[in-house]
Coordinates of all heavy atoms in Angstrom, one line a residue:
M15 N 115.4 86.3 131.5 CA 113.9 86.4 131.3 C 113.2 87.2 132.4 O 113.5 86.9 133.7 CB 113.2 85.1 131.2 CG 111.8 85.1 130.9 SD 111.0 83.4 130.9 CE 112.4 82.4 130.3
T16 N 112.5 88.2 132.1 CA 111.9 89.0 133.2 C 110.3 89.0 133.1 O 109.8 88.6 132.1 CB 112.4 90.6 133.1 OG1 111.9 91.0 131.9 CG2 113.9 90.6 133.2
L17 N 109.8 89.4 134.3 CA 108.4 89.5 134.1 C 107.8 90.5 133.1 O 106.8 90.3 132.4 CB 107.7 90.0 135.5 CG 107.8 88.9 136.7 CD1 107.2 89.5 138.0 CD2 107.0 87.7 136.3
Q18 N 108.6 91.6 132.9 CA 108.2 92.6 131.9 C 108.2 91.9 130.5 O 107.4 92.2 129.7 CB 109.2 93.7 131.9 CG 108.8 94.9 131.1 CD 107.4 95.5 131.5 OE1 107.2 95.8 132.7 NE2 106.5 95.6 130.6
Q19 N 109.2 91.1 130.2 CA 109.3 90.5 128.9 C 108.2 89.5 128.8 O 107.6 89.4 127.7 CB 110.6 89.7 128.8 CG 111.8 90.5 128.6 CD 113.2 89.8 128.6 OE1 113.3 88.9 129.6 NE2 113.9 90.0 127.6
L20 N 107.8 88.8 129.9 CA 106.6 88.0 129.7 C 105.3 88.8 129.5 O 104.5 88.3 128.7 CB 106.4 87.1 131.0 CG 107.5 86.2 131.3 CD1 107.3 85.4 132.6 CD2 107.8 85.2 130.2
R21 N 105.2 89.9 130.0 CA 104.1 90.9 129.8 C 104.0 91.2 128.3 O 102.9 91.4 127.8 CB 104.1 92.0 130.7 CG 103.8 91.8 132.2 CD 103.7 93.0 133.0 NE 103.9 92.6 134.5 CZ 103.0 92.0 135.2 NH1 101.8 91.7 134.7 NH2 103.2 91.8 136.4
Y22 N 105.1 91.5 127.8 CA 105.3 92.0 126.4 C 104.8 90.8 125.5 O 104.0 91.0 124.6 CB 106.8 92.2 126.0 CG 107.3 93.4 126.6 CD1 108.8 93.6 126.6 CD2 106.6 94.5 127.2 CE1 109.3 94.7 127.1 CE2 107.2 95.6 127.8 CZ 108.6 95.7 127.6 OH 109.2 96.8 128.1
I23 N 105.3 89.5 125.8 CA 104.8 88.4 125.0 C 103.3 88.2 125.1 O 102.6 87.9 124.0 CB 105.6 87.1 125.5 CG1 107.1 87.2 125.3 CG2 104.9 85.8 124.9 CD1 107.4 87.2 124.0
V24 N 102.7 88.3 126.2 CA 101.2 88.0 126.4 C 100.5 89.2 125.6 O 99.5 88.9 125.0 CB 100.9 88.1 127.9 CG1 99.4 88.1 128.1 CG2 101.5 86.7 128.5
E25 N 101.0 90.4 125.7 CA 100.3 91.5 125.0 C 100.3 91.3 123.5 O 99.4 91.5 122.8 CB 101.0 92.8 125.4 CG 100.2 94.0 124.8 CD 98.8 94.2 125.3 OE1 98.4 93.7 126.4 OE2 98.0 94.8 124.5
V26 N 101.4 90.9 123.0 CA 101.6 90.7 121.6 C 100.6 89.5 121.2 O 100.0 89.6 120.2 CB 103.0 90.4 121.2 CG1 103.1 89.9 119.7 CG2 104.0 91.6 121.4
Y27 N 100.6 88.5 121.9 CA 99.7 87.4 121.7 C 98.2 87.9 121.7 O 97.4 87.5 120.8 CB 99.9 86.3 122.8 CG 98.9 85.1 122.7 CD1 99.0 84.3 121.6 CD2 97.9 85.0 123.6 CE1 98.1 83.2 121.5 CE2 97.0 84.0 123.5 CZ 97.1 83.0 122.5 OH 96.1 82.0 122.4
K28 N 97.8 88.7 122.6 CA 96.5 89.2 122.7 C 96.1 90.0 121.4 O 95.0 89.9 121.0 CB 96.2 90.0 124.0 CG 96.1 89.3 125.2 CD 96.0 90.2 126.4 CE 96.1 89.6 127.8 NZ 96.0 90.5 128.8
T29 N 97.0 90.9 121.1 CA 96.6 91.7 119.9 C 97.0 91.1 118.5 O 96.4 91.6 117.6 CB 97.5 93.1 120.1 OG1 98.9 92.8 119.9 CG2 97.1 93.8 121.3
G30 N 97.9 90.3 118.5 CA 98.4 89.7 117.3 C 99.2 90.7 116.5 O 99.3 90.4 115.3
S31 N 99.6 91.7 117.1 CA 100.3 92.9 116.3 C 101.4 93.4 117.2 O 101.0 93.9 118.4 CB 99.4 93.8 115.8 OG 100.0 95.0 115.5
I32 N 102.6 93.5 116.7 CA 103.6 94.2 117.5 C 103.3 95.7 117.6 O 103.4 96.3 118.7 CB 105.0 94.0 116.9 CG1 105.3 92.5 117.1 CG2 106.1 94.8 117.6 CD1 106.7 92.0 116.3
T33 N 102.9 96.2 116.5 CA 102.6 97.7 116.5 C 101.5 98.0 117.5 O 101.6 99.0 118.3 CB 102.2 98.2 115.1 OG1 103.2 97.9 114.2 CG2 101.8 99.6 115.1
K34 N 100.4 97.3 117.5 CA 99.3 97.6 118.4 C 99.7 97.3 119.8 O 99.4 98.0 120.7 CB 98.1 96.7 118.1 CG 97.3 97.0 116.9 CD 96.2 96.1 116.7 CE 95.5 96.3 115.3 NZ 94.5 95.3 115.1
S35 N 100.5 96.3 120.1 CA 101.0 96.0 121.4 C 101.9 97.1 121.9 O 101.8 97.6 123.0 CB 101.8 94.7 121.5 OG 100.9 93.7 121.2
A36 N 102.8 97.6 121.0 CA 103.7 98.7 121.4 C 102.9 100.0 121.9 O 103.2 100.6 122.9 CB 104.6 99.1 120.3
N37 N 101.8 100.1 121.2 CA 100.9 101.3 121.5 C 100.3 101.2 122.8 O 100.3 102.0 123.7 CB 99.9 101.6 120.4 CG 100.5 102.2 119.2 OD1 101.4 102.8 119.2 ND2 99.8 101.9 118.1
N38 N 99.8 100.0 123.0 CA 99.1 99.5 124.3 C 100.2 99.7 125.5 O 99.8 100.0 126.6 CB 98.5 98.2 124.2 CG 97.4 98.1 123.3 OD1 96.8 99.1 122.9 ND2 96.9 96.9 123.0
L39 N 101.5 99.3 125.2 CA 102.4 99.3 126.3 C 103.2 100.6 126.4 O 104.1 100.8 127.2 CB 103.4 98.2 125.9 CG 102.9 96.8 126.0 CD1 103.8 95.8 125.3 CD2 102.7 96.3 127.5
F40 N 102.8 101.6 125.6 CA 103.4 102.9 125.6 C 104.8 102.9 125.3 O 105.8 103.5 126.0 CB 103.1 103.7 126.9 CG 101.7 103.7 127.3 CD1 101.1 103.0 128.2 CD2 100.8 104.7 126.6 CE1 99.7 103.0 128.5 CE2 99.4 104.8 126.8 CZ 98.9 103.9 127.8
M41 N 105.2 102.1 124.3 CA 106.6 102.0 123.9 C 106.7 102.2 122.3 O 105.6 101.9 121.7 CB 107.3 100.8 124.5 CG 106.7 99.5 124.0 SD 107.3 98.1 124.9 CE 109.0 98.1 124.7
S42 N 107.9 102.2 121.9 CA 107.9 102.2 120.4 C 108.0 100.8 119.8 O 108.4 99.8 120.5 CB 109.3 102.9 119.9 OG 110.5 102.1 120.3
Q43 N 107.5 100.6 118.6 CA 107.5 99.3 117.9 C 108.8 98.7 117.8 O 109.0 97.6 118.1 CB 106.8 99.5 116.6 CG 106.7 98.2 115.8 CD 107.9 97.9 114.9 OE1 108.6 98.8 114.4 NE2 108.2 96.6 114.8
P44 N 109.9 99.5 117.4 CA 111.3 99.0 117.4 C 111.8 98.4 118.7 O 112.4 97.3 118.8 CB 112.2 100.1 116.8 CG 111.2 101.0 116.1 CD 109.9 100.9 116.9
N45 N 111.4 99.1 119.8 CA 112.0 98.7 121.1 C 111.2 97.3 121.5 O 111.8 96.4 122.1 CB 111.7 99.8 122.1 CG 112.7 100.9 122.1 OD1 113.6 100.7 121.5 ND2 112.4 102.0 122.7
L46 N 109.9 97.2 121.1 CA 109.2 96.0 121.5 C 109.7 94.8 120.6 O 110.0 93.8 121.1 CB 107.7 96.2 121.3 CG 106.8 95.0 121.6 CD1 107.2 94.5 123.0 CD2 105.4 95.3 121.4
S47 N 109.9 95.2 119.3 CA 110.5 94.0 118.5 C 111.8 93.7 119.0 O 112.1 92.4 119.0 CB 110.7 94.7 117.0 OG 109.4 94.8 116.4
N48 N 112.8 94.5 119.3 CA 114.0 94.1 119.9 C 113.9 93.3 121.1 O 114.6 92.3 121.4 CB 114.8 95.4 120.1 CG 115.3 96.0 118.8 OD1 115.4 95.4 117.8 ND2 115.7 97.3 118.9
A49 N 112.9 93.7 122.1 CA 112.7 93.0 123.3 C 112.3 91.5 123.1 O 112.8 90.6 123.7 CB 111.7 93.7 124.1
L50 N 111.4 91.4 122.0 CA 110.9 90.0 121.7 C 112.1 89.2 121.1 O 112.2 88.0 121.4 CB 109.8 90.1 120.7 CG 108.5 90.8 121.2 CD1 107.5 90.9 119.9 CD2 107.9 90.0 122.2
K51 N 112.9 89.8 120.3 CA 114.0 89.1 119.6 C 115.1 88.6 120.7 O 115.6 87.6 120.6 CB 114.6 89.9 118.5 CG 113.8 90.0 117.3 CD 114.5 90.9 116.2 CE 113.5 91.1 115.0 NZ 114.0 92.0 114.0
E52 N 115.3 89.6 121.7 CA 116.2 89.3 122.7 C 115.8 88.1 123.5 O 116.6 87.2 123.9 CB 116.4 90.5 123.6 CG 117.3 91.6 122.9 CD 117.4 92.8 123.9 OE1 117.0 92.8 125.0 OE2 117.8 93.9 123.3
L53 N 114.5 88.1 123.9 CA 114.0 86.9 124.6 C 114.0 85.7 123.9 O 114.4 84.6 124.3 CB 112.5 87.2 125.0 CG 111.8 86.1 125.9 CD1 112.7 85.7 127.1 CD2 110.4 86.5 126.3
E54 N 113.6 85.7 122.5 CA 113.6 84.5 121.7 C 115.1 83.9 121.6 O 115.3 82.8 121.7 CB 113.1 84.8 120.3 CG 111.6 85.0 120.3 CD 111.2 85.4 119.0 OE1 111.7 86.0 118.2 OE2 109.8 84.9 118.7
T55 N 116.0 84.8 121.5 CA 117.4 84.5 121.5 C 117.9 83.9 122.8 O 118.5 82.8 122.9 CB 118.3 85.7 121.1 OG1 118.0 86.2 119.9 CG2 119.9 85.3 121.2
E56 N 117.4 84.4 123.9 CA 117.8 84.0 125.2 C 117.3 82.6 125.5 O 118.0 81.7 126.1 CB 117.3 84.9 126.3 CG 117.5 84.5 127.7 CD 116.9 85.5 128.8 OE1 116.6 86.6 128.4 OE2 116.7 85.0 129.9
I57 N 116.1 82.4 125.0 CA 115.5 81.0 125.3 C 115.7 80.0 124.3 O 115.4 78.8 124.4 CB 114.0 81.1 125.7 CG1 113.2 81.6 124.4 CG2 113.7 81.9 126.9 CD1 111.7 81.6 124.7
G58 N 116.3 80.5 123.2 CA 116.6 79.6 121.9 C 115.5 79.0 121.3 O 115.6 77.9 120.7
M59 N 114.3 79.8 121.2 CA 113.2 79.3 120.3 C 112.4 80.5 119.8 O 112.6 81.7 120.3 CB 112.2 78.5 121.2 CG 111.6 79.3 122.3 SD 110.4 78.2 123.2 CE 108.9 78.6 122.4
T60 N 111.8 80.3 118.7 CA 110.9 81.4 118.1 C 109.6 81.3 118.7 O 108.9 80.2 118.7 CB 110.8 81.1 116.7 OG1 112.2 81.1 116.1 CG2 110.0 82.1 115.9
I61 N 109.1 82.3 119.3 CA 107.8 82.4 119.9 C 106.7 82.9 118.9 O 105.7 82.3 118.9 CB 107.8 83.4 121.1 CG1 108.8 82.9 122.2 CG2 106.4 83.5 121.7 CD1 109.1 84.0 123.2
F62 N 107.1 83.7 118.0 CA 106.1 84.3 117.1 C 106.7 84.2 115.7 O 108.0 84.5 115.5 CB 105.7 85.8 117.4 CG 104.9 86.0 118.6 CD1 105.6 86.6 119.8 CD2 103.7 85.6 118.7 CE1 104.9 86.8 120.9 CE2 102.9 85.8 119.9 CZ 103.5 86.4 121.0
V63 N 105.9 83.9 114.7 CA 106.2 84.1 113.3 C 105.7 85.4 112.8 O 104.4 85.6 113.1 CB 105.6 82.9 112.5 CG1 105.9 83.2 111.0 CG2 106.1 81.6 113.0
R64 N 106.6 86.2 112.3 CA 106.1 87.5 111.9 C 105.6 87.4 110.4 O 106.3 86.7 109.6 CB 107.2 88.5 111.9 CG 107.6 89.1 113.2 CD 108.7 88.2 113.8 NE 109.1 88.8 115.1 CZ 109.5 88.2 116.1 NH1 109.5 86.9 116.0 NH2 110.0 88.8 117.2
T65 N 104.4 87.9 110.1 CA 103.9 87.8 108.8 C 103.3 89.3 108.4 O 103.4 90.2 109.3 CB 102.5 87.0 108.8 OG1 101.5 87.6 109.5 CG2 102.8 85.6 109.3
A66 N 103.1 89.6 107.2 CA 102.6 90.8 106.8 C 101.3 91.3 107.5 O 101.0 92.4 107.7 CB 102.4 90.9 105.3
A67 N 100.5 90.3 107.9 CA 99.2 90.6 108.6 C 99.4 90.7 110.1 O 98.4 90.9 110.8 CB 98.3 89.5 108.3
G68 N 100.6 90.4 110.7 CA 100.8 90.5 112.1 C 101.7 89.4 112.5 O 102.6 88.9 111.8
V69 N 101.4 88.8 113.8 CA 102.3 87.7 114.3 C 101.4 86.7 114.8 O 100.2 86.9 115.2 CB 103.2 88.2 115.4 CG1 104.3 89.3 115.0 CG2 102.3 88.9 116.6
V70 N 101.9 85.5 114.7 CA 101.2 84.3 115.1 C 102.2 83.4 115.9 O 103.4 83.3 115.5 CB 100.5 83.4 114.0 CG1 99.4 84.2 113.4 CG2 101.5 83.1 113.0
P71 N 101.7 82.8 117.0 CA 102.6 82.0 117.9 C 103.0 80.7 117.0 O 102.0 80.0 116.4 CB 101.9 81.7 119.1 CG 100.5 82.0 118.8 CD 100.4 83.0 117.6
T72 N 104.2 80.3 117.3 CA 104.6 78.9 116.8 C 103.9 78.0 117.8 O 103.5 78.4 118.9 CB 106.1 78.8 116.8 OG1 106.5 78.9 118.2 CG2 106.7 79.8 116.0
P73 N 104.0 76.6 117.5 CA 103.4 75.6 118.4 C 104.2 75.7 119.8 O 103.5 75.6 120.8 CB 103.7 74.2 117.8 CG 103.6 74.7 116.3 CD 104.3 76.0 116.2
E74 N 105.6 75.8 119.7 CA 106.3 76.0 121.0 C 106.0 77.3 121.7 O 105.9 77.4 122.9 CB 107.8 75.9 120.8 CG 108.2 74.6 120.2 CD 108.5 74.6 118.8 OE1 108.3 75.7 118.1 OE2 108.8 73.5 118.2
G75 N 105.7 78.3 120.9 CA 105.4 79.6 121.4 C 104.1 79.6 122.1 O 103.9 80.3 123.1
E76 N 103.1 78.8 121.6 CA 101.8 78.7 122.3 C 102.0 78.2 123.7 O 101.4 78.6 124.7 CB 100.8 77.9 121.5 CG 100.3 78.7 120.3 CD 99.2 78.0 119.6 OE1 98.5 77.1 120.2 OE2 99.0 78.3 118.5
K77 N 102.9 77.1 123.9 CA 103.1 76.5 125.2 C 103.8 77.5 126.1 O 103.5 77.6 127.2 CB 104.0 75.3 125.0 CG 103.4 74.1 124.3 CD 104.3 73.1 124.2 CE 103.7 72.0 123.3 NZ 104.7 70.9 122.9
F78 N 104.8 78.3 125.5 CA 105.4 79.3 126.3 C 104.5 80.4 126.7 O 104.6 80.8 128.0 CB 106.6 79.9 125.4 CG 107.4 81.0 126.1 CD1 108.6 80.6 126.8 CD2 107.1 82.3 126.1 CE1 109.3 81.4 127.5 CE2 107.9 83.2 126.8 CZ 109.0 82.7 127.5
I79 N 103.6 80.8 125.9 CA 102.6 81.9 126.4 C 101.8 81.3 127.5 O 101.4 82.1 128.3 CB 101.8 82.2 125.1 CG1 102.8 83.0 124.1 CG2 100.6 83.1 125.5 CD1 102.2 83.2 122.7
L80 N 101.3 80.1 127.4 CA 100.6 79.5 128.5 C 101.3 79.6 129.8 O 100.7 79.9 130.9 CB 100.2 78.1 128.1 CG 99.1 78.0 127.1 CD1 98.9 76.4 126.8 CD2 97.7 78.5 127.5
Y81 N 102.5 79.3 129.8 CA 103.4 79.3 131.0 C 103.5 80.9 131.4 O 103.4 81.2 132.6 CB 104.8 78.8 130.9 CG 104.8 77.3 131.0 CD1 104.9 76.4 129.9 CD2 104.7 76.7 132.2 CE1 104.8 75.0 130.1 CE2 104.6 75.3 132.4 CZ 104.8 74.5 131.3 OH 104.7 73.1 131.5
A82 N 103.7 81.6 130.5 CA 103.9 83.2 130.7 C 102.6 83.8 131.4 O 102.7 84.5 132.4 CB 104.2 83.9 129.5
Q83 N 101.5 83.4 130.9 CA 100.2 83.8 131.4 C 100.0 83.3 132.9 O 99.6 84.1 133.8 CB 99.0 83.4 130.6 CG 99.0 84.1 129.3 CD 98.0 83.5 128.3 OE1 97.7 82.3 128.3 NE2 97.3 84.3 127.5
S84 N 100.4 82.1 133.1 CA 100.3 81.5 134.4 C 101.2 82.3 135.4 O 100.8 82.6 136.5 CB 100.6 80.0 134.4 OG 100.6 79.4 135.7
I85 N 102.5 82.4 135.1 CA 103.5 83.1 135.9 C 103.0 84.6 136.2 O 103.1 85.0 137.4 CB 104.8 83.1 135.2 CG1 105.4 81.6 135.2 CG2 105.8 84.0 135.9 CD1 106.6 81.5 134.3
L86 N 102.5 85.3 135.2 CA 102.0 86.6 135.5 C 100.8 86.7 136.3 O 100.7 87.6 137.2 CB 101.7 87.3 134.1 CG 103.0 87.6 133.3 CD1 102.5 88.1 131.8 CD2 103.9 88.7 133.9
S87 N 99.9 85.7 136.2 CA 98.8 85.6 137.1 C 99.2 85.4 138.5 O 98.7 86.1 139.4 CB 97.8 84.5 136.5 OG 96.7 84.4 137.4
Q88 N 100.1 84.5 138.8 CA 100.6 84.2 140.1 C 101.4 85.5 140.7 O 101.2 85.8 141.8 CB 101.6 83.1 140.1 CG 100.7 81.7 139.8 CD 101.7 80.5 139.7 OE1 102.8 80.5 140.3 NE2 101.3 79.5 139.0
A89 N 102.2 86.1 139.8 CA 102.9 87.3 140.3 C 101.9 88.4 140.6 O 102.1 89.1 141.7 CB 103.9 87.8 139.2
D90 N 100.9 88.6 139.8 CA 99.9 89.7 140.1 C 99.2 89.3 141.4 O 98.9 90.2 142.3 CB 98.9 89.8 138.9 CG 99.6 90.4 137.8 OD1 100.7 91.0 137.8 OD2 99.0 90.3 136.7
R91 N 98.8 88.1 141.6 CA 98.1 87.6 142.8 C 98.9 87.8 144.0 O 98.5 88.3 145.1 CB 97.6 86.2 142.8 CG 96.9 85.7 143.8 CD 96.1 84.5 143.5 NE 95.6 83.9 144.8 CZ 94.5 84.3 145.4 NH1 93.9 85.4 145.0 NH2 94.0 83.6 146.4
M92 N 100.3 87.5 143.9 CA 101.2 87.6 145.0 C 101.4 89.1 145.4 O 101.2 89.3 146.6 CB 102.6 87.0 144.6 CG 103.5 86.9 145.8 SD 104.8 85.9 145.3 CE 106.1 87.0 145.1
Q93 N 101.5 89.9 144.5 CA 101.7 91.3 144.7 C 100.2 91.9 145.3 O 100.4 92.7 146.3 CB 101.8 92.1 143.4 CG 102.0 93.6 143.6 CD 102.4 94.3 142.3 OE1 102.2 93.8 141.3 NE2 103.0 95.5 142.5
F94 N 99.1 91.5 144.9 CA 97.8 91.9 145.5 C 97.8 91.5 147.0 O 97.5 92.2 147.8 CB 96.7 91.3 144.6 CG 95.3 91.6 145.3 CD1 94.8 92.9 145.2 CD2 94.7 90.7 146.0 CE1 93.6 93.3 145.7 CE2 93.5 91.0 146.6 CZ 92.8 92.2 146.4
I95 N 98.1 90.1 147.2 CA 98.0 89.6 148.6 C 98.9 90.4 149.5 O 98.5 90.7 150.6 CB 98.2 88.2 148.6 CG1 97.2 87.4 147.8 CG2 98.5 87.6 150.0 CD1 97.4 85.9 147.6
F96 N 100.2 90.6 149.1 CA 101.1 91.1 150.1 C 101.3 92.6 150.1 O 102.0 93.2 151.0 CB 102.5 90.4 149.9 CG 102.5 88.9 150.1 CD1 102.4 87.9 149.3 CD2 102.5 88.6 151.5 CE1 102.4 86.6 149.5 CE2 102.4 87.2 151.8 CZ 102.3 86.2 150.9
K97 N 100.7 93.2 149.1 CA 100.7 94.7 149.2 C 99.6 95.2 150.0 O 99.8 96.3 150.5 CB 100.6 95.2 147.7 CG 101.3 96.4 147.3 CD 101.2 96.9 145.9 CE 102.1 98.0 145.7 NZ 101.9 98.5 144.4
N98 N 98.6 94.5 150.2 CA 97.4 95.0 151.0 C 97.5 94.4 152.5 O 97.7 93.6 153.0 CB 96.1 94.4 150.5 CG 95.8 95.0 149.1 OD1 96.1 96.1 148.9 ND2 95.2 94.3 148.2

């Protein structure tokens, strides 16, 4: 699991769409979908349920996303503090 993968998860959560998230992240939709599937396989759980209208987090996915947001916030803060 990488910080980049966590950023992907949080972006998909914010938009509710893999396609919109891929555009925001300047990457292709298939690459983002593959990255999400790889992470879900790595951690052994489904983070998002894919629907025709977009994606919604599973109950476990919501917990995972909260941790991801916290980790990213701390990493960004650490970078800000020590880069300056």
Side-chain angles (χ1 to χ4, degrees):
M15 179 182 333
T16 66
L17 288 177
Q18 190 62 47
Q19 288 173 312
L20 297 181
R21 290 187 199 286
Y22 294 164
I23 294 293
V24 170
E25 183 63 26
V26 171
Y27 175 70
K28 286 180 187 176
T29 65
S31 165
I32 293 174
T33 301
K34 287 179 188 175
S35 295
N37 288 334
N38 292 348
L39 295 164
F40 304 103
M41 64 189 303
S42 71
Q43 182 272 329
N45 284 345
L46 181 55
S47 288
N48 288 336
L50 295 178
K51 287 178 187 174
E52 286 175 11
L53 179 58
E54 288 177 327
T55 299
E56 178 183 336
I57 62 174
M59 64 179 268
T60 301
I61 299 170
F62 294 105
V63 175
R64 283 95 170 142
T65 70
V69 295
V70 292
T72 63
E74 295 100 4
E76 288 188 21
K77 291 177 191 174
F78 185 88
I79 291 163
L80 287 174
Y81 279 105
Q83 289 170 324
S84 177
I85 290 165
L86 291 172
S87 176
Q88 291 177 27
D90 290 344
R91 182 163 169 73
M92 190 166 106
Q93 184 177 17
F94 176 78
I95 290 170
F96 291 105
K97 217 175 186 186
N98 293 325

